[in-house]
Structure formats: structure tokens, C-alpha cells
mmCIF file of all heavy atoms in Angstrom:
data_model
loop_
_atom_site.group_PDB
_atom_site.id
_atom_site.type_symbol
_atom_site.label_atom_id
_atom_site.label_comp_id
_atom_site.label_asym_id
_atom_site.label_seq_id
_atom_site.Cartn_x
_atom_site.Cartn_y
_atom_site.Cartn_z
ATOM 1 N N GLY A 1 -15.666 12.492 14.132
ATOM 2 C CA GLY A 1 -14.465 13.324 14.192
ATOM 3 C C GLY A 1 -14.240 14.079 12.898
ATOM 4 O O GLY A 1 -15.074 14.082 11.991
ATOM 5 N N HIS A 2 -13.085 14.729 12.816
ATOM 6 C CA HIS A 2 -12.707 15.500 11.629
ATOM 7 C C HIS A 2 -11.311 15.077 11.219
ATOM 8 O O HIS A 2 -10.627 14.376 11.942
ATOM 9 C CB HIS A 2 -12.727 16.998 11.948
ATOM 10 C CG HIS A 2 -14.057 17.467 12.469
ATOM 11 N ND1 HIS A 2 -15.132 17.697 11.648
ATOM 12 C CD2 HIS A 2 -14.470 17.719 13.734
ATOM 13 C CE1 HIS A 2 -16.166 18.088 12.379
ATOM 14 N NE2 HIS A 2 -15.798 18.090 13.658
ATOM 15 N N GLY A 3 -10.896 15.541 10.073
ATOM 16 C CA GLY A 3 -9.532 15.257 9.630
ATOM 17 C C GLY A 3 -9.417 13.891 8.998
ATOM 18 O O GLY A 3 -10.418 13.205 8.747
ATOM 19 N N PRO A 4 -8.192 13.453 8.760
ATOM 20 C CA PRO A 4 -7.978 12.174 8.080
ATOM 21 C C PRO A 4 -8.341 10.982 8.959
ATOM 22 O O PRO A 4 -8.340 11.092 10.188
ATOM 23 C CB PRO A 4 -6.474 12.177 7.788
ATOM 24 C CG PRO A 4 -5.886 13.073 8.831
ATOM 25 C CD PRO A 4 -6.914 14.131 9.098
ATOM 26 N N ILE A 5 -8.667 9.872 8.328
ATOM 27 C CA ILE A 5 -8.828 8.600 9.043
ATOM 28 C C ILE A 5 -7.478 7.892 8.920
ATOM 29 O O ILE A 5 -7.079 7.479 7.833
ATOM 30 C CB ILE A 5 -9.992 7.788 8.448
ATOM 31 C CG1 ILE A 5 -11.298 8.546 8.715
ATOM 32 C CG2 ILE A 5 -10.035 6.383 9.053
ATOM 33 C CD1 ILE A 5 -12.494 8.033 7.956
ATOM 34 N N LEU A 6 -6.767 7.812 10.035
ATOM 35 C CA LEU A 6 -5.343 7.439 9.994
ATOM 36 C C LEU A 6 -5.094 5.944 10.117
ATOM 37 O O LEU A 6 -4.002 5.483 9.818
ATOM 38 C CB LEU A 6 -4.594 8.167 11.119
ATOM 39 C CG LEU A 6 -4.545 9.699 10.974
ATOM 40 C CD1 LEU A 6 -3.934 10.325 12.225
ATOM 41 C CD2 LEU A 6 -3.732 10.085 9.740
ATOM 42 N N ARG A 7 -6.081 5.199 10.595
ATOM 43 C CA ARG A 7 -5.881 3.769 10.798
ATOM 44 C C ARG A 7 -7.173 3.022 10.492
ATOM 45 O O ARG A 7 -8.259 3.481 10.830
ATOM 46 C CB ARG A 7 -5.507 3.474 12.272
ATOM 47 C CG ARG A 7 -4.061 3.805 12.621
ATOM 48 C CD ARG A 7 -3.203 2.698 12.060
ATOM 49 N NE ARG A 7 -1.834 2.693 12.509
ATOM 50 C CZ ARG A 7 -0.854 3.326 11.897
ATOM 51 N NH1 ARG A 7 -1.119 4.108 10.878
ATOM 52 N NH2 ARG A 7 0.387 3.184 12.297
ATOM 53 N N ASP A 8 -7.031 1.830 9.880
ATOM 54 C CA ASP A 8 -8.180 0.972 9.614
ATOM 55 C C ASP A 8 -7.745 -0.463 9.882
ATOM 56 O O ASP A 8 -6.554 -0.784 9.790
ATOM 57 C CB ASP A 8 -8.626 1.145 8.154
ATOM 58 C CG ASP A 8 -9.912 0.393 7.835
ATOM 59 O OD1 ASP A 8 -10.652 0.042 8.783
ATOM 60 O OD2 ASP A 8 -10.187 0.157 6.643
ATOM 61 N N GLU A 9 -8.702 -1.313 10.243
ATOM 62 C CA GLU A 9 -8.386 -2.729 10.509
ATOM 63 C C GLU A 9 -7.231 -2.853 11.503
ATOM 64 O O GLU A 9 -6.283 -3.624 11.311
ATOM 65 C CB GLU A 9 -8.043 -3.479 9.209
ATOM 66 C CG GLU A 9 -9.165 -3.505 8.183
ATOM 67 C CD GLU A 9 -10.326 -4.420 8.557
ATOM 68 O OE1 GLU A 9 -10.234 -5.143 9.565
ATOM 69 O OE2 GLU A 9 -11.327 -4.394 7.820
ATOM 70 N N VAL A 10 -7.307 -2.082 12.599
ATOM 71 C CA VAL A 10 -6.264 -2.158 13.635
ATOM 72 C C VAL A 10 -6.289 -3.559 14.245
ATOM 73 O O VAL A 10 -7.353 -4.115 14.524
ATOM 74 C CB VAL A 10 -6.518 -1.096 14.727
ATOM 75 C CG1 VAL A 10 -5.512 -1.236 15.865
ATOM 76 C CG2 VAL A 10 -6.437 0.304 14.123
ATOM 77 N N GLY A 11 -5.107 -4.141 14.436
ATOM 78 C CA GLY A 11 -5.033 -5.511 14.945
ATOM 79 C C GLY A 11 -4.075 -5.660 16.112
ATOM 80 O O GLY A 11 -3.116 -6.436 16.044
ATOM 81 N N CYS A 12 -4.319 -4.916 17.209
ATOM 82 C CA CYS A 12 -3.460 -5.055 18.396
ATOM 83 C C CYS A 12 -3.694 -6.422 19.043
ATOM 84 O O CYS A 12 -4.806 -6.967 18.991
ATOM 85 C CB CYS A 12 -3.790 -3.989 19.434
ATOM 86 S SG CYS A 12 -3.722 -2.280 18.871
ATOM 87 N N GLU A 13 -2.659 -6.924 19.688
ATOM 88 C CA GLU A 13 -2.834 -8.126 20.510
ATOM 89 C C GLU A 13 -3.180 -7.754 21.937
ATOM 90 O O GLU A 13 -3.662 -8.587 22.698
ATOM 91 C CB GLU A 13 -1.562 -8.980 20.458
ATOM 92 C CG GLU A 13 -1.375 -9.621 19.078
ATOM 93 C CD GLU A 13 -0.086 -10.408 18.974
ATOM 94 O OE1 GLU A 13 0.512 -10.726 20.033
ATOM 95 O OE2 GLU A 13 0.320 -10.709 17.839
ATOM 96 N N GLY A 14 -2.915 -6.503 22.322
ATOM 97 C CA GLY A 14 -3.289 -6.023 23.646
ATOM 98 C C GLY A 14 -2.114 -5.700 24.543
ATOM 99 O O GLY A 14 -2.276 -5.038 25.559
ATOM 100 N N HIS A 15 -0.908 -6.172 24.159
ATOM 101 C CA HIS A 15 0.273 -5.937 25.009
ATOM 102 C C HIS A 15 1.127 -4.780 24.499
ATOM 103 O O HIS A 15 2.092 -4.377 25.151
ATOM 104 C CB HIS A 15 1.137 -7.199 25.074
ATOM 105 C CG HIS A 15 1.566 -7.672 23.716
ATOM 106 N ND1 HIS A 15 2.548 -7.036 22.993
ATOM 107 C CD2 HIS A 15 1.111 -8.689 22.938
ATOM 108 C CE1 HIS A 15 2.687 -7.649 21.821
ATOM 109 N NE2 HIS A 15 1.833 -8.655 21.760
ATOM 110 N N GLU A 16 0.803 -4.232 23.334
ATOM 111 C CA GLU A 16 1.622 -3.165 22.758
ATOM 112 C C GLU A 16 1.615 -1.925 23.653
ATOM 113 O O GLU A 16 0.648 -1.644 24.343
ATOM 114 C CB GLU A 16 1.091 -2.780 21.356
ATOM 115 C CG GLU A 16 1.206 -3.888 20.321
ATOM 116 C CD GLU A 16 0.027 -4.848 20.287
ATOM 117 O OE1 GLU A 16 -0.838 -4.790 21.193
ATOM 118 O OE2 GLU A 16 -0.037 -5.658 19.353
ATOM 119 N N ARG A 17 2.719 -1.177 23.614
ATOM 120 C CA ARG A 17 2.825 0.033 24.448
ATOM 121 C C ARG A 17 2.162 1.241 23.804
ATOM 122 O O ARG A 17 1.877 2.223 24.464
ATOM 123 C CB ARG A 17 4.298 0.373 24.700
ATOM 124 C CG ARG A 17 5.003 -0.566 25.659
ATOM 125 C CD ARG A 17 6.360 0.024 26.030
ATOM 126 N NE ARG A 17 7.071 0.512 24.830
ATOM 127 C CZ ARG A 17 7.954 -0.199 24.161
ATOM 128 N NH1 ARG A 17 8.252 -1.420 24.541
ATOM 129 N NH2 ARG A 17 8.557 0.315 23.095
ATOM 130 N N ASP A 18 1.947 1.185 22.486
ATOM 131 C CA ASP A 18 1.528 2.362 21.732
ATOM 132 C C ASP A 18 0.645 1.897 20.579
ATOM 133 O O ASP A 18 0.930 0.880 19.944
ATOM 134 C CB ASP A 18 2.806 3.035 21.196
ATOM 135 C CG ASP A 18 2.542 4.367 20.531
ATOM 136 O OD1 ASP A 18 1.670 4.430 19.643
ATOM 137 O OD2 ASP A 18 3.234 5.339 20.874
ATOM 138 N N LEU A 19 -0.426 2.631 20.303
ATOM 139 C CA LEU A 19 -1.337 2.232 19.224
ATOM 140 C C LEU A 19 -0.643 2.186 17.863
ATOM 141 O O LEU A 19 -1.001 1.395 17.003
ATOM 142 C CB LEU A 19 -2.533 3.189 19.179
ATOM 143 C CG LEU A 19 -3.733 2.722 18.343
ATOM 144 C CD1 LEU A 19 -4.331 1.424 18.890
ATOM 145 C CD2 LEU A 19 -4.801 3.807 18.279
ATOM 146 N N TRP A 20 0.384 3.028 17.688
ATOM 147 C CA TRP A 20 1.108 3.030 16.401
ATOM 148 C C TRP A 20 1.890 1.732 16.182
ATOM 149 O O TRP A 20 2.264 1.424 15.049
ATOM 150 C CB TRP A 20 2.075 4.214 16.345
ATOM 151 C CG TRP A 20 1.410 5.553 16.257
ATOM 152 C CD1 TRP A 20 1.264 6.454 17.269
ATOM 153 C CD2 TRP A 20 0.802 6.156 15.102
ATOM 154 N NE1 TRP A 20 0.600 7.575 16.820
ATOM 155 C CE2 TRP A 20 0.311 7.418 15.500
ATOM 156 C CE3 TRP A 20 0.630 5.742 13.774
ATOM 157 C CZ2 TRP A 20 -0.352 8.286 14.621
ATOM 158 C CZ3 TRP A 20 -0.024 6.606 12.899
ATOM 159 C CH2 TRP A 20 -0.506 7.857 13.320
ATOM 160 N N GLU A 21 2.151 0.974 17.254
ATOM 161 C CA GLU A 21 2.902 -0.290 17.106
ATOM 162 C C GLU A 21 2.022 -1.404 16.544
ATOM 163 O O GLU A 21 2.532 -2.438 16.112
ATOM 164 C CB GLU A 21 3.425 -0.758 18.475
ATOM 165 C CG GLU A 21 4.553 0.071 19.043
ATOM 166 C CD GLU A 21 4.986 -0.442 20.414
ATOM 167 O OE1 GLU A 21 4.675 -1.603 20.760
ATOM 168 O OE2 GLU A 21 5.638 0.330 21.131
ATOM 169 N N CYS A 22 0.700 -1.225 16.608
ATOM 170 C CA CYS A 22 -0.203 -2.298 16.184
ATOM 171 C C CYS A 22 -0.313 -2.334 14.665
ATOM 172 O O CYS A 22 -0.317 -1.290 14.008
ATOM 173 C CB CYS A 22 -1.597 -2.070 16.764
ATOM 174 S SG CYS A 22 -1.620 -2.000 18.572
ATOM 175 N N PRO A 23 -0.410 -3.532 14.091
ATOM 176 C CA PRO A 23 -0.604 -3.612 12.645
ATOM 177 C C PRO A 23 -1.934 -2.972 12.247
ATOM 178 O O PRO A 23 -2.914 -3.045 12.989
ATOM 179 C CB PRO A 23 -0.608 -5.119 12.361
ATOM 180 C CG PRO A 23 -0.862 -5.777 13.676
ATOM 181 C CD PRO A 23 -0.360 -4.853 14.738
ATOM 182 N N ALA A 24 -1.947 -2.304 11.105
ATOM 183 C CA ALA A 24 -3.174 -1.656 10.625
ATOM 184 C C ALA A 24 -3.037 -1.391 9.139
ATOM 185 O O ALA A 24 -1.931 -1.371 8.588
ATOM 186 C CB ALA A 24 -3.409 -0.342 11.364
ATOM 187 N N GLU A 25 -4.178 -1.194 8.487
ATOM 188 C CA GLU A 25 -4.198 -0.811 7.077
ATOM 189 C C GLU A 25 -4.094 0.712 6.986
ATOM 190 O O GLU A 25 -4.746 1.438 7.739
ATOM 191 C CB GLU A 25 -5.512 -1.253 6.433
ATOM 192 C CG GLU A 25 -5.724 -2.758 6.399
ATOM 193 C CD GLU A 25 -4.745 -3.453 5.480
ATOM 194 O OE1 GLU A 25 -4.402 -2.875 4.421
ATOM 195 O OE2 GLU A 25 -4.303 -4.563 5.826
ATOM 196 N N LEU A 26 -3.277 1.190 6.070
ATOM 197 C CA LEU A 26 -3.177 2.634 5.866
ATOM 198 C C LEU A 26 -4.254 3.105 4.894
ATOM 199 O O LEU A 26 -4.778 4.205 4.994
ATOM 200 C CB LEU A 26 -1.790 3.002 5.359
ATOM 201 C CG LEU A 26 -0.677 2.670 6.365
ATOM 202 C CD1 LEU A 26 0.684 3.006 5.781
ATOM 203 C CD2 LEU A 26 -0.889 3.425 7.653
ATOM 204 N N GLU A 27 -4.567 2.272 3.910
ATOM 205 C CA GLU A 27 -5.683 2.590 3.009
ATOM 206 C C GLU A 27 -6.976 2.220 3.718
ATOM 207 O O GLU A 27 -7.037 1.226 4.436
ATOM 208 C CB GLU A 27 -5.560 1.775 1.713
ATOM 209 C CG GLU A 27 -4.299 2.075 0.923
ATOM 210 C CD GLU A 27 -4.275 3.502 0.416
ATOM 211 O OE1 GLU A 27 -5.310 3.951 -0.126
ATOM 212 O OE2 GLU A 27 -3.246 4.177 0.580
ATOM 213 N N HIS A 28 -8.032 3.002 3.505
ATOM 214 C CA HIS A 28 -9.288 2.684 4.175
ATOM 215 C C HIS A 28 -10.455 2.998 3.249
ATOM 216 O O HIS A 28 -10.324 3.736 2.281
ATOM 217 C CB HIS A 28 -9.415 3.486 5.478
ATOM 218 C CG HIS A 28 -9.618 4.956 5.246
ATOM 219 N ND1 HIS A 28 -10.851 5.491 4.974
ATOM 220 C CD2 HIS A 28 -8.734 5.984 5.221
ATOM 221 C CE1 HIS A 28 -10.721 6.799 4.798
ATOM 222 N NE2 HIS A 28 -9.457 7.123 4.932
ATOM 223 N N ASP A 29 -11.604 2.395 3.562
ATOM 224 C CA ASP A 29 -12.836 2.698 2.835
ATOM 225 C C ASP A 29 -13.894 3.154 3.834
ATOM 226 O O ASP A 29 -15.046 2.744 3.773
ATOM 227 C CB ASP A 29 -13.311 1.462 2.053
ATOM 228 C CG ASP A 29 -13.433 0.242 2.956
ATOM 229 O OD1 ASP A 29 -13.151 0.353 4.161
ATOM 230 O OD2 ASP A 29 -13.820 -0.825 2.448
ATOM 231 N N CYS A 30 -13.471 3.973 4.787
ATOM 232 C CA CYS A 30 -14.334 4.365 5.900
ATOM 233 C C CYS A 30 -14.732 5.827 5.786
ATOM 234 O O CYS A 30 -14.091 6.609 5.095
ATOM 235 C CB CYS A 30 -13.583 4.195 7.226
ATOM 236 S SG CYS A 30 -12.956 2.527 7.492
ATOM 237 N N SER A 31 -15.784 6.173 6.520
ATOM 238 C CA SER A 31 -16.123 7.581 6.725
ATOM 239 C C SER A 31 -16.170 7.824 8.232
ATOM 240 O O SER A 31 -16.079 6.880 9.025
ATOM 241 C CB SER A 31 -17.463 7.919 6.082
ATOM 242 O OG SER A 31 -18.512 7.304 6.813
#
């Protein structure tokens, strides 16, 4: 993809209604 990497280490439990509700790291070391 292009643009920023907005989420890293996403940790949904599976019942959340929206991906933004899941805990995640804002800092990342990804490409």
C-alpha cells in the first residue's frame, strides 16, 4: 500500500464493531 502505516500490533478479540476499537500500537517499525 501507500501512505502512513496507521496501526501495528492490532489486538482485537473478535467481537469489536470497528477496527479502531481494537487495542494497537501507534508507533511502528514496519514497512
Side-chain angles (χ1 to χ4, degrees):
H2 304 282
I5 294 168
L6 295 173
R7 283 283 192 270
D8 186 19
E9 299 288 354
V10 175
C12 305
E13 290 177 16
H15 57 75
E16 295 87 350
R17 288 191 314 265
D18 187 308
L19 194 62
W20 291 104
E21 289 179 18
C22 301
E25 296 293 324
L26 297 178
E27 298 296 314
H28 69 83
D29 53 0
C30 304
S31 71

